[in-house]
Amino acid sequence: MESLTASLQRVFGFSQFRSGQEAALTSLEAGKDTLAILPTGAGKTLIYQLYGYRHPGCVLIVSPLLSLMNDQVDRLRMNGFKRAAAINSLTPFGERLSILNHLDQLQFLFLSPEMLSQPQMLNQLQRINLSLLVIDEAHCIVQWGPDFRPEYLLLGAIRDKLQRPLTLMLTATAGKQTRHEIAKQLRSTPAVVTESVNRPNIFLDVENVADEATKQSRLQDLVKRLPRPGVVYFSSKQQASDTALWLQQTAGVTAAAYHAGLDAEDRFKIQQQFMTDKLDIICATSAFGMGIDKDNVRFVIHYHLPADLESYAQEIGRAGRDGAPSVAILLYAPGDEQLPLALGQSNRPEAETIQRYYAHPQSFAADEPQIHLLAFYRDHGISQAAVERLFAGREWERNHALSQMVDYVQSPTCLREKWLQAFDEAAPAHDEACCAPSNQPLDLAAIHLLQQAVTPAPIQKVPWQERLARLF
């Protein structure tokens, strides 16, 4: 078989790998399950694409978001991999049937954990040759599994049913505990390939504001002054939508909201407009960003406090993929930690609810999120005591993670050092291009991120006949 570098040149036209890619591929070529923790923008998808090119059989990719699946299928086809498909809730019945009838001819197949866990799908997959199982955004096993998308917790058992295919786990951030949990849930002892999460070109800034009104005013000021495009993250879908409209009206920018409350078509259109620089600002919830490969994002602002440093690292990593100066700004008002606390508890049933449900499951409405979650565990034979322990442990983990996030926000010294500690990394020496903790002002000019004044081009009057001719 030709060398990895020769395959890279043949398929993608690159003469050398990015950091971490070759090490992950070498591990897979040696037949080892591999956990690759590579920073956002490091080209993680190339790893399984190149492996799929070099080996017969189907690469099965478990992906968390519908828009991410469809985007990755389109990119594969653009790169010459025509035998790629995705099955999800948006796939029309006829197309789904056609894909299932030709599974043995596919080179790449994308599924959600929910779709993969369906018995009919598993039966079909057991009949084909899987060259590689990929768990994309593997941190979702920990962040989403216990109390949001419990199907992630079935992946280990599913992997067993598929005869334990060679497995690649991909994520941009994972501390020691997250790595341990990923391996435990997938019933694997993977080789770990990791690169630093540090992005030296992203300036870190935390700003304390007095209240909500001051925070809004500061956001407006930053959006006017910073070079674009940029992303503003919110924990509230409604506030993301309201703020996008408000910024359009008051800051002279083109902005749109992106969150799970929009239908798939609207999300796709907004994503494409942002990718093609038709939007200056995306006001988003955490639903936006996974797999988005846009290299010129100049800033990421967090309007609301993230729940943990791993999520924060994922989201700020969407800035500055081109290596140019960028900035991550977190706006913090007293009491902001109450929102992630409330959101973390909203889908987590109390011990009393668990006890009442297990005693009389038929008396509860199954469409309530908490009851749907409990029904999942009960249907899979998880005892009441085990579920109570699971949620008690989950609450402790979330509270601990939020405490780390608050420590970062309140740090009077180097923010990068505080941030990297969570990933067991030593920070480089602090300098003026590193960060501005909460007690230091942000100087955009000093970090070369001040919006350049642009003189508008003179308006040229075009005769109506010529305008009409251009239209047709």
Side-chain angles (χ1 to χ4, degrees):
M1 183 178 286
E2 68 181 6
S3 69
L4 288 169
T5 304
S7 295
L8 179 73
Q9 177 73 42
R10 182 188 302 274
V11 179
F12 296 100
F14 301 144
S15 58
Q16 60 184 19
F17 287 97
R18 292 185 186 178
S19 184
Q21 290 176 330
E22 188 171 13
L25 275 161
T26 300
S27 175
L28 291 173
E29 293 283 345
K32 299 176 184 175
D33 291 343
T34 303
L35 170 58
I37 307 165
L38 305 178
T40 303
K44 292 184 284 294
T45 57
L46 179 142
I47 298 169
Y48 65 75
Q49 290 176 11
L50 202 59
Y51 188 90
Y53 163 76
R54 289 168 58 85
H55 295 270
C58 179
V59 176
L60 173 61
I61 304 104
V62 181
S63 186
L65 299 176
L66 305 188
S67 59
L68 179 56
M69 286 187 219
N70 295 332
D71 182 61
Q72 288 171 326
V73 169
D74 289 342
R75 291 189 189 192
L76 276 166
R77 290 173 178 168
M78 287 174 62
N79 285 333
F81 298 107
K82 303 303 182 185
R83 294 181 291 128
I87 301 179
N88 53 50
S89 58
L90 300 178
T91 310
F93 177 76
E95 183 181 343
R96 181 181 304 192
L97 200 60
S98 175
I99 293 170
L100 291 173
N101 287 336
H102 298 87
L103 273 185
D104 59 341
Q105 299 173 28
L106 287 179
Q107 197 173 9
F108 298 92
L109 174 64
F110 292 81
L111 297 174
S112 67
E114 291 81 2
M115 187 65 67
L116 177 59
S117 64
Q118 293 180 8
Q120 306 93 315
M121 181 61 70
L122 268 175
N123 289 337
Q124 295 271 16
L125 291 171
Q126 286 170 329
R127 298 173 186 168
I128 67 171
N129 172 32
L130 291 179
S131 62
L132 182 67
L133 172 64
V134 181
I135 312 299
D136 200 8
E137 307 292 352
H139 62 279
C140 293
I141 293 173
V142 180
Q143 291 187 358
W144 291 357
D147 48 15
F148 178 41
R149 293 174 71 175
E151 287 81 6
Y152 266 106
L153 304 184
L154 300 178
L155 290 177
I158 289 170
R159 184 170 171 267
D160 285 349
K161 290 179 180 178
L162 295 173
Q163 305 302 312
R164 295 195 165 219
L166 182 66
T167 303
L168 171 64
M169 299 145 253
L170 295 171
T171 183
T173 55
K176 278 185 179 178
Q177 184 57 37
T178 300
R179 297 179 199 184
H180 171 77
E181 194 63 27
I182 290 171
K184 175 185 171 184
Q185 291 295 339
L186 290 172
R187 305 175 184 181
S188 172
T189 52
V192 178
V193 174
T194 182
E195 296 289 326
S196 173
V197 299
N198 187 29
R199 298 278 298 282
N201 64 307
I202 302 177
F203 187 89
L204 304 176
D205 175 50
V206 169
E207 299 192 17
N208 283 318
V209 294
D211 50 34
E212 183 72 12
T214 310
K215 186 186 283 191
Q216 281 191 333
S217 176
R218 180 57 176 156
L219 175 65
Q220 183 189 57
D221 177 59
L222 287 168
V223 166
K224 286 180 177 178
R225 297 174 64 211
L226 284 163
R228 302 159 197 146
V231 181
V232 185
Y233 276 105
F234 298 83
S235 298
S236 160
K237 292 182 286 189
Q238 186 61 54
Q239 195 153 11
S241 296
D242 292 346
T243 305
L245 181 60
W246 176 69
L247 287 174
Q248 284 213 129
Q249 296 169 342
T250 63
V253 297
T254 56
Y258 186 106
H259 52 71
L262 302 173
D263 64 42
E265 184 176 352
D266 285 341
R267 290 200 302 272
F268 177 78
K269 287 178 180 177
I270 290 165
Q271 177 181 314
Q272 293 307 306
Q273 287 173 340
F274 187 64
M275 294 295 291
T276 55
D277 292 323
K278 292 182 173 64
L279 286 173
D280 296 322
I281 311 290
I282 287 283
C283 293
T285 61
S286 58
F288 179 80
M290 287 187 188
I292 303 300
D293 189 15
K294 183 171 174 62
D295 63 0
N296 65 336
V297 174
R298 295 276 66 89
F299 68 85
V300 171
I301 298 174
H302 279 82
Y303 191 87
H304 290 134
L305 186 69
D308 55 75
L309 282 166
E310 289 192 6
S311 300
Y312 185 62
Q314 289 267 350
E315 289 162 2
I316 68 173
R318 278 137 207 169
R321 293 191 182 188
D322 55 5
S326 307
V327 64
I329 301 169
L330 197 159
L331 302 176
Y332 175 79
D336 272 0
E337 59 272 21
Q338 295 305 314
L339 181 56
L341 266 177
L343 290 172
Q345 293 167 355
S346 63
N347 204 37
R348 192 179 308 129
E350 300 288 342
E352 181 186 351
T353 305
I354 298 171
Q355 292 163 10
R356 288 192 295 113
Y357 174 79
Y358 268 80
H360 303 286
Q362 66 280 357
S363 63
F364 288 82
D367 56 349
E368 294 180 19
Q370 290 188 359
I371 303 307
H372 177 76
L373 199 61
L374 291 176
F376 175 90
Y377 287 119
R378 184 175 178 273
D379 292 346
H380 284 84
I382 311 298
S383 70
Q384 174 187 320
V387 170
E388 289 176 355
R389 287 195 300 271
L390 174 72
F391 285 118
R394 183 66 170 151
E395 183 168 10
W396 184 90
E397 290 168 4
R398 280 187 179 273
N399 290 343
H400 177 68
L402 183 58
S403 174
Q404 284 186 309
M405 193 73 235
V406 173
D407 284 346
Y408 170 83
V409 167
Q410 296 176 344
S411 175
T413 56
C414 181
L415 292 172
R416 198 172 302 271
E417 180 180 13
K418 197 74 172 178
W419 172 49
L420 291 176
Q421 278 177 358
F423 301 96
D424 303 306
E425 286 192 40
H430 178 80
D431 59 28
E432 66 280 358
C434 174
C435 64
S438 57
N439 59 351
Q440 297 178 19
L442 174 65
D443 186 346
L444 292 176
I447 58 173
H448 311 291
L449 278 169
L450 197 60
Q451 172 80 350
Q452 298 296 314
V454 178
T455 304
I459 298 174
Q460 297 180 342
K461 292 185 177 180
V462 180
W464 70 266
Q465 296 94 335
E466 186 177 338
R467 297 208 313 271
L468 186 64
R470 289 179 183 175
L471 286 174
F472 294 96

